[in-house]
């Protein structure tokens, strides 16, 4: 009988390979999987990362056989604490992992011309596979999205297709979630929105990088992207395009420095 | 062409080629079917045939009105606060607080009528309450009155707390340009710990004019000598 296995963050490739071999079905618990309102989650403080509250909501209400939760540098300390809570609450195995994978698989989706929503859907889906992403031709970047996949993907629809993806999402595609150098990388030639979920530890890095970027905007939002967040991103993108000359095209991906070594 | 800034409490209207001055109408008095040709403000999408988001309108209005290349423009509305930071006349940072900045202008106006306070005659207090928003700071007023402060003193301390909160939100600059209805409130202006240059209530309408101008392919902005609001900085 098919096992249903929840994952949180990016467990090491060895774990993914094992699950694939046993033909288990992987459920990404970081993403909303159930039509349940967030206020049904009452095991964590209300003022807490919306991704991890989503994890808790999924884990407590789905028929899972076991859960892998990546903790440490590849995810966050809060995931460690959520793992502890789930270990107390659930009878299924809740196994913590520490992903130190360092072999880079590249990030062609991050630099492609796909709509940003499709980019992030493909990247988060790719976590369930041990294979690299399909090859996409690089686009010339006119905007950047730095950060984790948001809980509310609707905010991604505000960005142009020529948005390149940086931060932990780029690390996800590269299958090196603990690569802080890759995560910290951004392209100073590209107006970039630095996004983190409210109450996430990564807000510190997002704010820091945004302050040092010539055209950076720091944005955080909780469960859903409200009208003011959307307006901020919309205004930033429009006003940045008005004032910044488009980066010169190059043979690779259109902008100096945007070819940070994969792994 | 009718331009409108549909604020939460007040709507600012200007008809191109007909009006010489903008008009102000309480938003709740507008006919439900009332529409503008080009609109901004939180009801812009519902009431405008074309809409421009408030931050874009604010940014463009500031570019039209402010002659300083490196500065901060802060807009304090009824229900939220917004800022734009310019460097070399370009927008380099912005913020919009609809949560902790919520209901600032609304609450200050509410207190004016509730306690019958005349903000033009109230002295700027030396200390203020620590407030995070117009709603969460209200209990300070009640506590202060219970312990012997006059209602006017308590309201003044509340307004000071609100102004300091907005100042920090704008990045604590040495001087800032202020837009919105609170430009008419001398107590609020006096509570900022920096120079404040009030631009009045029509900056977003100016942003709509600038939007039209750029759509028609004209170059931007009035020269510095044609600033619409020539006022002395309000210095505390």
């Amino acid at each position: 009988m098919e096992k249903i296995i929840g994952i949180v963050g990016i467990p090491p490739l060895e774990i993914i390979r094992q699950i694939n071999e046993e033909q288990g079905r992987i459920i990404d618990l970081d993403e909303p999987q159930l039509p349940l309102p967030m206020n049904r989650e009452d095991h964590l403080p209300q003022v807490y990362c919306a991704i991890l509250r989503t994890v808790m909501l999924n884990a407590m209400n789905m028929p899972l056989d076991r859960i892998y939760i990546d903790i440490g540098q590849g995810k966050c300390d809060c995931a460690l604490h959520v793992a502890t809570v789930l270990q107390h609450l659930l009878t299924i195995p809740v196994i913590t992992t520490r992903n130190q994978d360092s072999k880079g698989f590249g990030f062609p989706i991050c630099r492609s011309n796909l709509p940003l929503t499709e980019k992030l859907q493909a990247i988060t889906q790719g976590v369930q596979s041990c294979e690299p992403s399909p090859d996409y031709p690089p686009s010339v970047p006119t905007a950047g999205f730095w950060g984790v996949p948001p809980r509310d993907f609707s905010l991604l629809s505000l960005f142009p297709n020529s948005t390149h993806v940086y931060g932990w999402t780029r690390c996800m595609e590269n299958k090196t979630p603990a690569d802080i150098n890759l995560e910290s990388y951004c392209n100073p030639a590209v107006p970039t929105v630095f996004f983190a979920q409210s109450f996430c530890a990564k807000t510190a890095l997002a704010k820091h990088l945004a302050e040092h970027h010539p055209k950076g905007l720091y944005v955080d939002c909780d469960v859903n992207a409200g009208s003011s967040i959307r307006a901020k991103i919309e205004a930033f993108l429009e006003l940045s395009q008005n004032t910044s000359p488009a980066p010169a095209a190059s043979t690779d991906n259109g902008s100096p420095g945007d070819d940070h070594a994969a792994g | 062409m009718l331009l409108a800034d549909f604020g939460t409490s007040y709507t600012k209207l200007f008809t191109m080629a007909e009006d010489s001055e903008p008009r102000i109408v309480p938003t709740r008095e507008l006919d439900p079917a009332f529409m503008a040709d080009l609109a901004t403000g939180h009801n812009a999408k519902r009431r405008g045939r074309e809409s421009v988001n408030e931050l874009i309108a604010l940014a463009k209005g500031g570019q039209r009105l402010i002659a300083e290349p490196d500065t901060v423009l802060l807009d304090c509305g009824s229900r939220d606060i917004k800022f734009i930071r310019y460097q070399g006349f370009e927008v380099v940072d912005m913020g919009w607080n609809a949560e902790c900045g919520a209901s600032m202008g609304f609450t200050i106006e509410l207190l004016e009528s509730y306690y019958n306070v005349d903000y033009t005659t109230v002295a700027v207090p030396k200390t203020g309450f620590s407030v995070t928003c117009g709603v969460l700071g209200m209990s300070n007023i009640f506590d202060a009155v219970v312990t012997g402060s006059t209602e006017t003193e308590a309201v003044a301390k509340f307004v000071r707390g609100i102004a300091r909160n907005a100042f920090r939100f704008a990045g604590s600059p040495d001087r800032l340009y202020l837009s919105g209805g609170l430009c008419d409130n001398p107590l609020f202006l006096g509570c900022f710990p920096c120079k404040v240059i009030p631009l009045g209530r029509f900056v977003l309408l100016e942003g709509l004019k600038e939007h039209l101008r750029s759509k028609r392919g004209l170059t931007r902005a009035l020269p510095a000598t044609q600033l619409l609001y020539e006022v002395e900085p309000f210095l505390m």
Side-chain angles (χ1 to χ4, degrees):
Chain A
M1 190 173 154
E2 181 190 58
K3 299 280 188 193
I4 302 175
I5 294 153
I7 61 169
V8 177
I10 310 172
L13 270 185
E14 186 51 40
I15 300 289
I16 300 296
R17 197 171 286 122
Q18 282 172 22
I19 301 172
N20 290 344
E21 280 172 7
E22 66 177 280
Q23 296 185 320
R25 180 151 67 94
I26 295 177
I27 305 285
D28 188 347
L29 301 178
D30 288 318
E31 296 179 19
Q33 302 287 354
L34 302 166
L36 293 175
M38 198 59 121
N39 60 14
R40 280 282 299 275
E41 199 302 295
D42 57 4
H43 298 286
L44 298 176
Q46 273 204 320
V47 179
Y48 206 69
C49 169
I51 299 285
L52 290 169
R53 292 174 67 209
T54 302
V55 165
M56 184 62 80
L57 197 62
N58 288 330
M60 296 302 294
N61 292 285
M62 294 185 79
L64 302 168
D65 291 291
R66 64 179 183 273
I67 298 174
Y68 291 97
I69 302 187
D70 200 55
I71 59 171
Q73 250 190 306
K75 178 69 174 169
C76 62
D77 288 345
C78 293
L80 169 65
H81 303 312
V82 169
T84 304
V85 175
L86 283 174
Q87 283 163 346
H88 288 159
L89 293 173
L90 296 175
T91 54
I92 59 170
V94 177
I95 302 153
T96 56
T97 62
R98 286 183 184 268
N99 190 339
Q100 299 295 327
D101 292 345
S102 57
K103 181 193 169 193
F105 281 63
F107 30 79
I109 296 173
C110 290
R111 300 192 301 205
S112 71
N113 203 43
L114 291 171
L116 187 57
T117 307
E118 283 183 35
K119 281 188 182 95
L120 265 72
Q121 281 169 341
I123 290 168
T124 54
Q125 187 72 24
V127 170
Q128 301 181 20
S129 163
C130 296
E131 301 300 316
S133 304
D135 213 9
Y136 288 91
S139 64
V140 177
T142 61
F145 174 86
W146 182 100
V148 300
R151 185 190 181 278
D152 182 359
F153 268 38
S154 72
L155 74 82
L156 303 172
S157 64
L158 302 169
F159 290 80
N161 292 359
S162 49
T163 301
H164 280 201
V165 177
Y166 306 95
W168 196 70
T169 311
R170 182 174 278 216
C171 297
M172 286 179 84
E173 188 182 4
N174 196 46
K175 301 192 188 299
T176 55
D179 184 346
I180 187 67
N181 289 329
L182 181 59
E183 184 174 5
S184 302
Y185 169 74
C186 49
N187 185 341
V190 181
T192 300
V193 171
F194 291 84
F195 168 82
Q197 286 293 140
S198 302
F199 319 115
C200 169
K202 290 185 191 294
T203 51
L205 185 59
K207 189 167 190 304
H208 174 74
L209 292 174
E211 282 174 0
H212 289 83
H213 193 283
K215 280 268 184 218
L217 177 73
Y218 167 70
V219 163
D220 73 296
C221 73
D222 190 9
V223 179
N224 298 115
S227 58
S228 60
I229 293 289
R230 301 176 72 84
K232 238 161 85 165
I233 292 173
E234 191 180 63
F236 173 75
L237 292 174
E238 179 173 332
L239 296 167
S240 300
Q241 300 307 326
N242 285 347
T243 54
S244 299
S250 78
T251 51
D252 178 23
N253 49 59
S255 196
D258 204 23
D259 54 352
H260 186 286
Chain B
M1 170 174 261
L2 177 61
L3 311 183
D5 168 13
F6 291 105
T8 306
S9 298
Y10 296 97
T11 295
K12 283 72 75 178
L13 301 167
F14 184 79
T15 308
M16 301 286 283
E18 287 181 25
D19 292 342
S20 56
E21 297 290 333
R23 292 167 283 142
I24 301 178
V25 181
T27 297
R28 64 174 174 268
E29 290 180 11
L30 287 178
D31 186 290
F34 182 86
M35 294 284 288
D37 297 304
L38 180 62
T40 187
H42 85 280
N43 270 321
K45 286 194 173 151
R46 190 161 63 87
R47 287 186 175 273
R49 291 181 184 89
E50 183 189 344
S51 65
V52 175
N53 115 22
E54 289 167 70
L55 267 176
I56 293 174
L58 181 67
K60 289 185 175 180
Q63 283 173 329
R64 188 173 162 99
L65 297 173
I66 300 171
E68 265 184 85
D70 307 323
T71 193
V72 173
L73 169 60
L74 172 68
D75 180 75
C76 293
S78 268
R79 64 162 195 158
D80 57 16
I81 52 180
K82 303 181 269 295
F83 81 88
I84 303 284
R85 187 161 64 82
Y86 301 95
Q87 200 172 304
F89 293 109
E90 286 189 10
V91 176
V92 292
D93 197 11
M94 64 184 75
W96 186 339
N97 191 334
E99 285 81 32
C100 295
S103 303
M104 279 182 35
F106 172 78
T107 310
I108 289 173
E109 190 174 317
L110 190 80
L111 292 168
E112 181 180 29
S113 56
Y114 186 79
Y115 286 116
N116 196 22
V117 177
D118 178 359
Y119 288 125
T120 62
T121 61
V122 179
V124 174
K126 287 193 169 59
T127 61
F129 300 140
S130 175
V131 299
T132 49
C133 80
V135 176
L136 292 178
M138 293 275 273
S139 58
N140 287 294
I141 298 175
F142 307 134
D143 289 347
V145 171
V146 166
T147 54
S149 288
T150 67
E151 292 170 349
T152 301
E153 284 168 353
V155 170
K157 286 186 175 185
F158 174 83
V159 171
R160 188 182 188 274
I162 288 277
R164 295 294 173 113
N165 196 28
F167 167 72
R168 282 190 292 273
F169 173 69
S172 306
D174 294 333
R175 54 190 261 148
L176 59 78
Y177 289 83
L178 183 71
S179 73
L182 287 170
C183 286
D184 298 334
N185 184 325
L187 173 62
F188 183 71
L189 267 58
C191 287
F192 279 82
C194 68
K195 290 179 185 173
V196 178
I197 304 158
L199 295 180
R201 314 179 78 157
F202 306 121
V203 176
L204 270 68
L205 282 181
E206 294 298 326
L208 293 184
K209 290 180 193 171
E210 187 61 28
H211 177 79
L212 284 177
R213 179 198 287 261
S214 57
K215 263 179 65 174
R216 290 170 184 157
L218 300 173
T219 52
R220 95 160 175 87
L222 298 169
T225 51
Q226 292 180 21
L227 278 175
L228 296 185
Y229 300 91
E230 293 179 356
V231 289
E232 287 301 310
F234 205 102
L235 175 60
M236 267 309 292

